[in-house]
Every structure is written in structure tokens, then in C-alpha cells.
Amino acid sequence: MVASGSYSAAARVLGYTQPAITQQMKALERAVGTPLFTRVGRKMQLTEAGESLSRHAETILGNLSAAEAQLRAYARLRTGRVRLCGFPSANVTLVPEALSGLAKDHPGVQVELLEGEPPESLRRLERGECDITLAFTYPGLHEEIPEEVAEVRLLEDQLTVLLPTGHPLARRRAVHLADLAEERWIAGCPRCRANLLHECAELGFVPDIRFATDDNLVVQSLVAQGLGVAMMPALVLPSLSLNRVCGRALQPAARRHIAAYVYRDHLRIPATAVVLNALKQVAANRVGC
């Protein structure tokens, strides 16, 4: 109407009858309580109130168009933000590989990477601080999760022992845990420490824990200096940065379970689903863990 200059011209452009356009404009004027158009010759001219409403209408319609375009982008996976919380060994291995593939296939999807050990990482999900969280459990440990949270199993990660390369047992392909009863130990996070104590108790000894840290690089440095041995997940063995340490399989064999946790409703969000799928693909390729 504003651009066409008359009710008749506006009706032709919009595909309505001229009386229908006239009735709509009169209804709008009644709603706002003031005239929006005045007739000047054969054309309709905006009043001051009409000009003000026209400017607001242009802004509103522009914002609606932008919102529609953004929503289409979310639905078609051109954009989206996902907050991913992982524990340290996953953030060193699984996550970078998954995000590398994601950056190539879905460059508009942005991932905010957070870090936390379980069970605190699961609490962060429940508090709404992240969209996906990665956590691990050990055999016999049941993870308490809300009913509305889905658990997506990713892989089973074999546990190994980290030794200095000059250690007598380093010549073996596998080491029996009982043979390490007299060693000094470096423990990890509380959950890993609890598992170490459990595994050793099953074999009748209490490990002499001298250090405790959940920083894998610190663990490697301590082992390299001969200050102790450590139970280490096989997941991080390829990323060992020191040539003075080595990982050997443990006997009896022990594994930890790694899974992703996400609210079931979030599985329907395209960006969240595609990040989760990238993690599943990377985990599936780690046959040796």
C-alpha cells in the first residue's frame, strides 16, 4: 500500500480485491485510533502516524525474515552451537578427531569445549551447563542418571600400566597387576583411584599411592622420573609425549566403559545430533581400545 500509492494498486500487487484492502486499512486505523492515510489527489499519502507505523513494520518484517533464515540454517545444519563436556583423556583423543571431521562436513556448527571428570561432568549436564557430556564408568559401578537423559555407549577402553622404559617389567607385553604390589603408585581422579584400590584389593594388596593427579602429562613425567607407576587407559597411549615411558596391558584384563550422555529432547536438535554422531564414528574406529 505504501509503495503502490492506492488501494486499487495494492490490491493488484497482493492479489486481493480493492474492497478487501480498504476494509483492512480501515480496521487497522480503528485499532490504532488515528488515521494512517490521507487522500492527495488520486493517491493515498501516509500521515505522520502512518509513516511511524510503516518504519516499525519494515523493521519487524526484516527481523522476521532474518529469523526465518536463521531457523532454516539451524534445521539444515548450516549453523548451531553445542556445548560439549569431556574428561581429560577424551578431550585429548576422541574429541579433537571428532571435531576435525565435523569442521569439514558442518563448518557452521560451533562446539564449545568444556572439561570435567565424572561424576561432576554429569552434574554439569543436569544443571544445563552443557548439551553433551562424556563420562566413563568401571565394571560394577552403576551410573545414576535421570530418566530423561539418554546414555549412548561409545567404546570400552582397556586399562594398562604405565612404566618407565627401563623398568624390568617393561620387557613384557603384558604385566600382572600382582607383580606391581611393591611399586609406588601415581593415582588419577577420584573415580580412577577408587578403581585402582578395588582392583588391587581383589588381588590381596593395598597400593602404595605416593602421588595423585588427573593431569595425564604430569603422570607421564612422574613415571618417566621413576617416581612410580600408574594405571592408564589405552585411549591415551597413542598421545604419550615422553619417550621414557611405555604402556603395557594389565592382567587380569580390565576395562572402563565410555559413554556420551544427552537429554533425550536434545537428540532432536540437528547440531547436537551431528556432534554426537561424529563422536560415535570416531569411537567405532578405535577397535583396539
Side-chain angles (χ1 to χ4, degrees):
M1 176 65 200
V2 175
S4 58
S6 71
Y7 291 150
S8 299
R12 287 194 297 271
V13 171
L14 297 174
Y16 290 95
T17 62
Q18 186 269 333
I21 295 294
T22 301
Q23 291 301 318
Q24 289 292 327
M25 291 300 100
K26 291 187 178 300
L28 182 59
E29 288 180 330
R30 286 195 299 271
V32 299
T34 186
L36 299 175
F37 295 94
T38 57
R39 183 174 293 280
V40 178
R42 291 187 168 185
K43 292 192 174 183
M44 303 298 292
Q45 181 174 309
L46 285 170
T47 64
E48 185 176 0
E51 289 178 352
S52 176
L53 180 60
S54 176
R55 287 193 298 272
H56 285 297
E58 289 177 359
T59 300
I60 292 169
L61 291 174
N63 289 340
L64 282 175
S65 297
E68 289 174 354
Q70 190 169 24
L71 289 174
R72 285 195 297 270
Y74 282 125
R76 296 173 186 174
L77 282 178
R78 288 201 298 266
T79 188
R81 183 174 70 95
V82 178
R83 298 165 300 165
L84 172 63
C85 181
F87 52 92
S89 56
N91 282 351
V92 168
T93 52
L94 293 177
V95 172
E97 190 174 343
L99 298 189
S100 175
L102 191 71
K104 296 175 185 175
D105 299 333
H106 303 285
V109 175
Q110 298 180 357
V111 177
E112 179 183 345
L113 184 58
L114 310 171
E115 187 167 286
E117 296 276 8
E120 176 56 26
S121 58
L122 289 161
R123 304 293 84 83
R124 296 190 74 172
L125 178 70
E126 294 174 22
R127 293 195 297 264
E129 296 174 6
C130 60
D131 305 301
I132 301 172
T133 196
L134 301 177
F136 59 85
T137 59
Y138 291 101
L141 175 62
H142 176 67
E143 199 70 78
E144 294 290 341
I145 58 173
E147 185 177 345
E148 60 271 22
V149 172
E151 178 186 42
V152 181
R153 288 292 183 98
L154 294 178
L155 57 88
E156 294 202 349
D157 189 17
Q158 182 177 340
L159 297 179
T160 67
V161 61
L162 201 64
L163 304 166
T165 52
H167 195 286
L169 296 178
R171 294 191 293 268
R172 301 182 185 179
R173 296 187 62 182
V175 176
H176 199 286
L177 184 57
D179 293 338
L180 301 168
E182 302 302 320
E183 297 286 341
R184 293 171 299 185
W185 283 86
I186 302 156
C189 69
R191 180 166 289 193
C192 296
R193 181 190 181 109
N195 180 69
L196 171 63
L197 292 171
H198 171 75
E199 295 285 344
C200 294
E202 290 288 300
L203 297 174
F205 74 95
V206 177
D208 177 13
I209 298 176
R210 297 295 184 90
F211 303 95
T213 174
D214 56 5
D215 188 315
N216 289 322
L217 186 58
V218 174
V219 172
Q220 293 176 45
S221 298
L222 293 171
V223 172
Q225 293 297 328
L227 296 172
V229 299
M231 191 176 283
M232 180 72 67
L235 185 66
V236 300
L237 292 185
S239 64
L240 291 181
S241 59
L242 301 174
N243 57 14
R244 291 179 291 165
V245 298
C246 61
R248 295 293 180 262
L250 272 174
Q251 294 178 337
R255 293 176 178 270
R256 64 176 183 171
H257 311 294
I258 298 177
Y261 298 86
V262 59
Y263 277 96
R264 299 183 192 278
D265 287 347
H266 287 197
L267 292 171
R268 298 185 289 114
I269 299 175
T272 301
V274 79
V275 171
L276 187 60
N277 188 57
L279 290 166
K280 288 162 63 177
Q281 289 179 350
V282 169
N285 292 332
R286 290 184 172 268
V287 180
C289 291

